[in-house]
Amino acid sequence: MAVSSNYLRSITKLFEDGRVKTYPKNQLINYQGDPLTHIHMLRQGYVKSYTILDSGDTRTIMILGPGDIFPLAFSASLDWDNYTLRYFYQTLCDTEIISLTSDVLRQSIEGDADMMHAYMDYLSSSNQAIMGQLEVMKNKKAIDKVTMLLPYLVDKAGKRVRPGVYELQLKLSHQEMADLSGVTRETMTTLVKELEKKGIVNQSKNHWVISTKKLESIAETG
C-alpha cells in the first residue's frame, strides 16, 4: 500500500517503544504457520510475503516497504492468541525493522481510538492490495499479468526520475518478478525483452526503470 504521511506518523508513534532489529538480504523473519508473537514495522528495506503452493511453486503475495507493518493479522477482533501466520516473510535486501510483542501492540491499539483507526485502515488497504495481486495472477495472458504488476511495483518501490519514468529502489530478479505475477521465469524473461523493445522497461543486473507513460499508452491501445 502507498503510505500516507498521516498514517506513517500514527504507526511510527505506535512503534516508538519497539525494539530495532536488522536482517540481511534473503533472511526469513517469519514462517507460515508460526504463532503471532510479534508485529513489526519496516523502517528500511523491503520484505516479501509469500506462500508455497501444493505443487511446490512459490507465490509472492505482496511486497512490503518502509512504513508497512507485518505479519498481516486479519483479525478485526484482535483475538490474536490462537492466530497463526498465513505467509512467509523474507527480506529482499538488507532490512531494518521495529518490533513489538503482539500483546503490547494490541493494548496500545485498544487503548487509543486513533491507533485503532490507523491499524484498521492499514488492514483494509493491505487486503485490497492482496486482492489486486490475485487479480493479476488470474489473468490468462502472461503479458497482461506483467503489465498489471508494473504499476504496483512503481507504487511500492518507485522513485520518480523524470515525468512518467520511475526507478525501482529494489532489485528484483526475473524469478522474483515471475513469482509476483504468476508466470514462469522463462516466460518472464521473454516478456521483459518484449517490454524493453517497446521502451516500457529498462532492466539490467536486476535494476529496473519503468516508463508508466508508455505503459499507460499500451493499455489504452490494447
PDB file of all heavy atoms in Angstrom, residues 39-62:
ATOM      1  N   ILE A  39       4.758  -8.178  16.137  1.00  0.00           N
ATOM      2  CA  ILE A  39       4.386  -7.449  14.926  1.00  0.00           C
ATOM      3  C   ILE A  39       5.459  -6.398  14.684  1.00  0.00           C
ATOM      4  O   ILE A  39       5.969  -5.782  15.624  1.00  0.00           O
ATOM      5  CB  ILE A  39       2.990  -6.825  15.045  1.00  0.00           C
ATOM      6  CG1 ILE A  39       1.946  -7.946  15.150  1.00  0.00           C
ATOM      7  CG2 ILE A  39       2.678  -5.941  13.836  1.00  0.00           C
ATOM      8  CD1 ILE A  39       0.516  -7.486  15.237  1.00  0.00           C
ATOM      9  N   HIS A  40       5.820  -6.221  13.411  1.00  0.00           N
ATOM     10  CA  HIS A  40       6.944  -5.372  13.054  1.00  0.00           C
ATOM     11  C   HIS A  40       6.515  -4.234  12.136  1.00  0.00           C
ATOM     12  O   HIS A  40       5.571  -4.376  11.355  1.00  0.00           O
ATOM     13  CB  HIS A  40       8.022  -6.183  12.329  1.00  0.00           C
ATOM     14  CG  HIS A  40       8.193  -7.578  12.839  1.00  0.00           C
ATOM     15  ND1 HIS A  40       8.729  -7.855  14.083  1.00  0.00           N
ATOM     16  CD2 HIS A  40       7.889  -8.781  12.288  1.00  0.00           C
ATOM     17  CE1 HIS A  40       8.753  -9.172  14.261  1.00  0.00           C
ATOM     18  NE2 HIS A  40       8.249  -9.746  13.188  1.00  0.00           N
ATOM     19  N   MET A  41       7.246  -3.136  12.212  1.00  0.00           N
ATOM     20  CA  MET A  41       7.128  -2.060  11.237  1.00  0.00           C
ATOM     21  C   MET A  41       8.437  -1.965  10.469  1.00  0.00           C
ATOM     22  O   MET A  41       9.512  -1.954  11.070  1.00  0.00           O
ATOM     23  CB  MET A  41       6.836  -0.722  11.905  1.00  0.00           C
ATOM     24  CG  MET A  41       6.607   0.392  10.876  1.00  0.00           C
ATOM     25  SD  MET A  41       6.516   2.069  11.583  1.00  0.00           S
ATOM     26  CE  MET A  41       8.262   2.429  11.819  1.00  0.00           C
ATOM     27  N   LEU A  42       8.336  -1.930   9.154  1.00  0.00           N
ATOM     28  CA  LEU A  42       9.528  -1.790   8.335  1.00  0.00           C
ATOM     29  C   LEU A  42      10.050  -0.361   8.413  1.00  0.00           C
ATOM     30  O   LEU A  42       9.315   0.590   8.137  1.00  0.00           O
ATOM     31  CB  LEU A  42       9.190  -2.128   6.879  1.00  0.00           C
ATOM     32  CG  LEU A  42       9.564  -3.522   6.397  1.00  0.00           C
ATOM     33  CD1 LEU A  42       8.935  -3.788   5.049  1.00  0.00           C
ATOM     34  CD2 LEU A  42      11.072  -3.671   6.322  1.00  0.00           C
ATOM     35  N   ARG A  43      11.285  -0.242   8.797  1.00  0.00           N
ATOM     36  CA  ARG A  43      11.923   1.081   8.902  1.00  0.00           C
ATOM     37  C   ARG A  43      12.750   1.369   7.660  1.00  0.00           C
ATOM     38  O   ARG A  43      12.719   2.482   7.135  1.00  0.00           O
ATOM     39  CB  ARG A  43      12.797   1.118  10.155  1.00  0.00           C
ATOM     40  CG  ARG A  43      13.285   2.487  10.552  1.00  0.00           C
ATOM     41  CD  ARG A  43      13.983   2.412  11.912  1.00  0.00           C
ATOM     42  NE  ARG A  43      14.501   3.684  12.344  1.00  0.00           N
ATOM     43  CZ  ARG A  43      15.169   3.865  13.470  1.00  0.00           C
ATOM     44  NH1 ARG A  43      15.398   2.833  14.276  1.00  0.00           N
ATOM     45  NH2 ARG A  43      15.608   5.050  13.813  1.00  0.00           N
ATOM     46  N   GLN A  44      13.496   0.376   7.212  1.00  0.00           N
ATOM     47  CA  GLN A  44      14.278   0.486   5.986  1.00  0.00           C
ATOM     48  C   GLN A  44      14.258  -0.860   5.285  1.00  0.00           C
ATOM     49  O   GLN A  44      14.259  -1.909   5.932  1.00  0.00           O
ATOM     50  CB  GLN A  44      15.734   0.868   6.279  1.00  0.00           C
ATOM     51  CG  GLN A  44      15.923   2.246   6.875  1.00  0.00           C
ATOM     52  CD  GLN A  44      17.394   2.552   7.151  1.00  0.00           C
ATOM     53  OE1 GLN A  44      18.284   1.832   6.709  1.00  0.00           O
ATOM     54  NE2 GLN A  44      17.648   3.601   7.906  1.00  0.00           N
ATOM     55  N   GLY A  45      14.280  -0.815   3.946  1.00  0.00           N
ATOM     56  CA  GLY A  45      14.352  -2.054   3.190  1.00  0.00           C
ATOM     57  C   GLY A  45      12.996  -2.545   2.717  1.00  0.00           C
ATOM     58  O   GLY A  45      11.976  -1.862   2.844  1.00  0.00           O
ATOM     59  N   TYR A  46      13.003  -3.781   2.184  1.00  0.00           N
ATOM     60  CA  TYR A  46      11.799  -4.378   1.622  1.00  0.00           C
ATOM     61  C   TYR A  46      11.700  -5.842   2.030  1.00  0.00           C
ATOM     62  O   TYR A  46      12.707  -6.541   2.166  1.00  0.00           O
ATOM     63  CB  TYR A  46      11.802  -4.272   0.096  1.00  0.00           C
ATOM     64  CG  TYR A  46      11.704  -2.851  -0.397  1.00  0.00           C
ATOM     65  CD1 TYR A  46      12.855  -2.092  -0.615  1.00  0.00           C
ATOM     66  CD2 TYR A  46      10.466  -2.253  -0.619  1.00  0.00           C
ATOM     67  CE1 TYR A  46      12.782  -0.777  -1.051  1.00  0.00           C
ATOM     68  CE2 TYR A  46      10.376  -0.937  -1.052  1.00  0.00           C
ATOM     69  CZ  TYR A  46      11.531  -0.203  -1.263  1.00  0.00           C
ATOM     70  OH  TYR A  46      11.444   1.094  -1.686  1.00  0.00           O
ATOM     71  N   VAL A  47      10.464  -6.291   2.214  1.00  0.00           N
ATOM     72  CA  VAL A  47      10.178  -7.672   2.609  1.00  0.00           C
ATOM     73  C   VAL A  47       9.096  -8.213   1.679  1.00  0.00           C
ATOM     74  O   VAL A  47       8.168  -7.487   1.303  1.00  0.00           O
ATOM     75  CB  VAL A  47       9.681  -7.721   4.075  1.00  0.00           C
ATOM     76  CG1 VAL A  47       9.074  -9.081   4.417  1.00  0.00           C
ATOM     77  CG2 VAL A  47      10.825  -7.393   5.037  1.00  0.00           C
ATOM     78  N   LYS A  48       9.216  -9.467   1.292  1.00  0.00           N
ATOM     79  CA  LYS A  48       8.141 -10.092   0.518  1.00  0.00           C
ATOM     80  C   LYS A  48       7.390 -11.083   1.401  1.00  0.00           C
ATOM     81  O   LYS A  48       7.982 -11.763   2.243  1.00  0.00           O
ATOM     82  CB  LYS A  48       8.693 -10.800  -0.720  1.00  0.00           C
ATOM     83  CG  LYS A  48       9.547 -12.034  -0.447  1.00  0.00           C
ATOM     84  CD  LYS A  48       9.952 -12.717  -1.761  1.00  0.00           C
ATOM     85  CE  LYS A  48      10.832 -13.949  -1.514  1.00  0.00           C
ATOM     86  NZ  LYS A  48      11.224 -14.615  -2.786  1.00  0.00           N
ATOM     87  N   SER A  49       6.082 -11.111   1.221  1.00  0.00           N
ATOM     88  CA  SER A  49       5.272 -12.139   1.866  1.00  0.00           C
ATOM     89  C   SER A  49       4.902 -13.145   0.779  1.00  0.00           C
ATOM     90  O   SER A  49       4.526 -12.752  -0.331  1.00  0.00           O
ATOM     91  CB  SER A  49       4.016 -11.538   2.500  1.00  0.00           C
ATOM     92  OG  SER A  49       3.177 -10.955   1.534  1.00  0.00           O
ATOM     93  N   TYR A  50       5.045 -14.423   1.088  1.00  0.00           N
ATOM     94  CA  TYR A  50       4.769 -15.433   0.063  1.00  0.00           C
ATOM     95  C   TYR A  50       4.236 -16.705   0.691  1.00  0.00           C
ATOM     96  O   TYR A  50       4.305 -16.914   1.904  1.00  0.00           O
ATOM     97  CB  TYR A  50       6.030 -15.731  -0.758  1.00  0.00           C
ATOM     98  CG  TYR A  50       7.137 -16.460  -0.015  1.00  0.00           C
ATOM     99  CD1 TYR A  50       7.225 -17.854  -0.049  1.00  0.00           C
ATOM    100  CD2 TYR A  50       8.100 -15.762   0.704  1.00  0.00           C
ATOM    101  CE1 TYR A  50       8.246 -18.524   0.622  1.00  0.00           C
ATOM    102  CE2 TYR A  50       9.117 -16.420   1.374  1.00  0.00           C
ATOM    103  CZ  TYR A  50       9.185 -17.800   1.321  1.00  0.00           C
ATOM    104  OH  TYR A  50      10.188 -18.462   1.993  1.00  0.00           O
ATOM    105  N   THR A  51       3.681 -17.539  -0.171  1.00  0.00           N
ATOM    106  CA  THR A  51       3.207 -18.845   0.253  1.00  0.00           C
ATOM    107  C   THR A  51       3.762 -19.888  -0.707  1.00  0.00           C
ATOM    108  O   THR A  51       4.239 -19.543  -1.797  1.00  0.00           O
ATOM    109  CB  THR A  51       1.663 -18.888   0.278  1.00  0.00           C
ATOM    110  OG1 THR A  51       1.224 -20.111   0.876  1.00  0.00           O
ATOM    111  CG2 THR A  51       1.072 -18.785  -1.123  1.00  0.00           C
ATOM    112  N   ILE A  52       3.716 -21.133  -0.308  1.00  0.00           N
ATOM    113  CA  ILE A  52       4.166 -22.237  -1.154  1.00  0.00           C
ATOM    114  C   ILE A  52       2.944 -23.088  -1.500  1.00  0.00           C
ATOM    115  O   ILE A  52       2.226 -23.562  -0.604  1.00  0.00           O
ATOM    116  CB  ILE A  52       5.236 -23.086  -0.451  1.00  0.00           C
ATOM    117  CG1 ILE A  52       6.461 -22.210  -0.143  1.00  0.00           C
ATOM    118  CG2 ILE A  52       5.638 -24.274  -1.322  1.00  0.00           C
ATOM    119  CD1 ILE A  52       7.553 -22.932   0.626  1.00  0.00           C
ATOM    120  N   LEU A  53       2.683 -23.249  -2.792  1.00  0.00           N
ATOM    121  CA  LEU A  53       1.526 -23.994  -3.255  1.00  0.00           C
ATOM    122  C   LEU A  53       1.739 -25.496  -3.074  1.00  0.00           C
ATOM    123  O   LEU A  53       2.851 -25.967  -2.827  1.00  0.00           O
ATOM    124  CB  LEU A  53       1.261 -23.676  -4.726  1.00  0.00           C
ATOM    125  CG  LEU A  53       1.120 -22.192  -5.098  1.00  0.00           C
ATOM    126  CD1 LEU A  53       0.887 -22.042  -6.598  1.00  0.00           C
ATOM    127  CD2 LEU A  53       0.001 -21.553  -4.307  1.00  0.00           C
ATOM    128  N   ASP A  54       0.650 -26.238  -3.201  1.00  0.00           N
ATOM    129  CA  ASP A  54       0.741 -27.702  -3.093  1.00  0.00           C
ATOM    130  C   ASP A  54       1.693 -28.278  -4.132  1.00  0.00           C
ATOM    131  O   ASP A  54       2.310 -29.326  -3.906  1.00  0.00           O
ATOM    132  CB  ASP A  54      -0.653 -28.330  -3.268  1.00  0.00           C
ATOM    133  CG  ASP A  54      -1.578 -28.011  -2.102  1.00  0.00           C
ATOM    134  OD1 ASP A  54      -1.060 -27.662  -1.017  1.00  0.00           O
ATOM    135  OD2 ASP A  54      -2.805 -28.101  -2.276  1.00  0.00           O
ATOM    136  N   SER A  55       1.819 -27.590  -5.262  1.00  0.00           N
ATOM    137  CA  SER A  55       2.716 -28.045  -6.325  1.00  0.00           C
ATOM    138  C   SER A  55       4.182 -27.821  -5.970  1.00  0.00           C
ATOM    139  O   SER A  55       5.070 -28.332  -6.646  1.00  0.00           O
ATOM    140  CB  SER A  55       2.402 -27.291  -7.624  1.00  0.00           C
ATOM    141  OG  SER A  55       2.640 -25.906  -7.456  1.00  0.00           O
ATOM    142  N   GLY A  56       4.418 -27.042  -4.908  1.00  0.00           N
ATOM    143  CA  GLY A  56       5.783 -26.705  -4.534  1.00  0.00           C
ATOM    144  C   GLY A  56       6.241 -25.366  -5.082  1.00  0.00           C
ATOM    145  O   GLY A  56       7.323 -24.880  -4.713  1.00  0.00           O
ATOM    146  N   ASP A  57       5.415 -24.755  -5.958  1.00  0.00           N
ATOM    147  CA  ASP A  57       5.755 -23.448  -6.522  1.00  0.00           C
ATOM    148  C   ASP A  57       5.566 -22.356  -5.470  1.00  0.00           C
ATOM    149  O   ASP A  57       4.688 -22.455  -4.605  1.00  0.00           O
ATOM    150  CB  ASP A  57       4.875 -23.130  -7.736  1.00  0.00           C
ATOM    151  CG  ASP A  57       5.161 -24.064  -8.909  1.00  0.00           C
ATOM    152  OD1 ASP A  57       6.299 -24.552  -8.999  1.00  0.00           O
ATOM    153  OD2 ASP A  57       4.235 -24.303  -9.718  1.00  0.00           O
ATOM    154  N   THR A  58       6.372 -21.317  -5.569  1.00  0.00           N
ATOM    155  CA  THR A  58       6.262 -20.169  -4.671  1.00  0.00           C
ATOM    156  C   THR A  58       5.385 -19.097  -5.306  1.00  0.00           C
ATOM    157  O   THR A  58       5.486 -18.840  -6.505  1.00  0.00           O
ATOM    158  CB  THR A  58       7.649 -19.576  -4.388  1.00  0.00           C
ATOM    159  OG1 THR A  58       8.442 -20.543  -3.710  1.00  0.00           O
ATOM    160  CG2 THR A  58       7.547 -18.340  -3.513  1.00  0.00           C
ATOM    161  N   ARG A  59       4.514 -18.493  -4.517  1.00  0.00           N
ATOM    162  CA  ARG A  59       3.703 -17.375  -4.991  1.00  0.00           C
ATOM    163  C   ARG A  59       3.899 -16.194  -4.040  1.00  0.00           C
ATOM    164  O   ARG A  59       3.555 -16.287  -2.865  1.00  0.00           O
ATOM    165  CB  ARG A  59       2.221 -17.747  -5.063  1.00  0.00           C
ATOM    166  CG  ARG A  59       1.853 -18.597  -6.257  1.00  0.00           C
ATOM    167  CD  ARG A  59       2.001 -17.820  -7.562  1.00  0.00           C
ATOM    168  NE  ARG A  59       1.722 -18.670  -8.718  1.00  0.00           N
ATOM    169  CZ  ARG A  59       2.640 -19.352  -9.386  1.00  0.00           C
ATOM    170  NH1 ARG A  59       3.921 -19.301  -8.994  1.00  0.00           N
ATOM    171  NH2 ARG A  59       2.315 -20.076 -10.431  1.00  0.00           N
ATOM    172  N   THR A  60       4.486 -15.139  -4.544  1.00  0.00           N
ATOM    173  CA  THR A  60       4.659 -13.937  -3.745  1.00  0.00           C
ATOM    174  C   THR A  60       3.337 -13.197  -3.676  1.00  0.00           C
ATOM    175  O   THR A  60       2.736 -12.895  -4.709  1.00  0.00           O
ATOM    176  CB  THR A  60       5.750 -13.032  -4.348  1.00  0.00           C
ATOM    177  OG1 THR A  60       6.990 -13.759  -4.365  1.00  0.00           O
ATOM    178  CG2 THR A  60       5.928 -11.774  -3.518  1.00  0.00           C
ATOM    179  N   ILE A  61       2.870 -12.907  -2.483  1.00  0.00           N
ATOM    180  CA  ILE A  61       1.580 -12.272  -2.293  1.00  0.00           C
ATOM    181  C   ILE A  61       1.692 -10.762  -2.424  1.00  0.00           C
ATOM    182  O   ILE A  61       0.891 -10.114  -3.100  1.00  0.00           O
ATOM    183  CB  ILE A  61       0.987 -12.632  -0.916  1.00  0.00           C
ATOM    184  CG1 ILE A  61       0.903 -14.164  -0.755  1.00  0.00           C
ATOM    185  CG2 ILE A  61      -0.377 -11.990  -0.724  1.00  0.00           C
ATOM    186  CD1 ILE A  61       0.053 -14.857  -1.817  1.00  0.00           C
ATOM    187  N   MET A  62       2.689 -10.178  -1.777  1.00  0.00           N
ATOM    188  CA  MET A  62       2.880  -8.737  -1.874  1.00  0.00           C
ATOM    189  C   MET A  62       4.269  -8.358  -1.400  1.00  0.00           C
ATOM    190  O   MET A  62       4.973  -9.166  -0.777  1.00  0.00           O
ATOM    191  CB  MET A  62       1.808  -7.984  -1.075  1.00  0.00           C
ATOM    192  CG  MET A  62       1.841  -8.229   0.418  1.00  0.00           C
ATOM    193  SD  MET A  62       0.388  -7.552   1.283  1.00  0.00           S
ATOM    194  CE  MET A  62       0.487  -5.817   0.822  1.00  0.00           C
TER     195      MET A  62
END
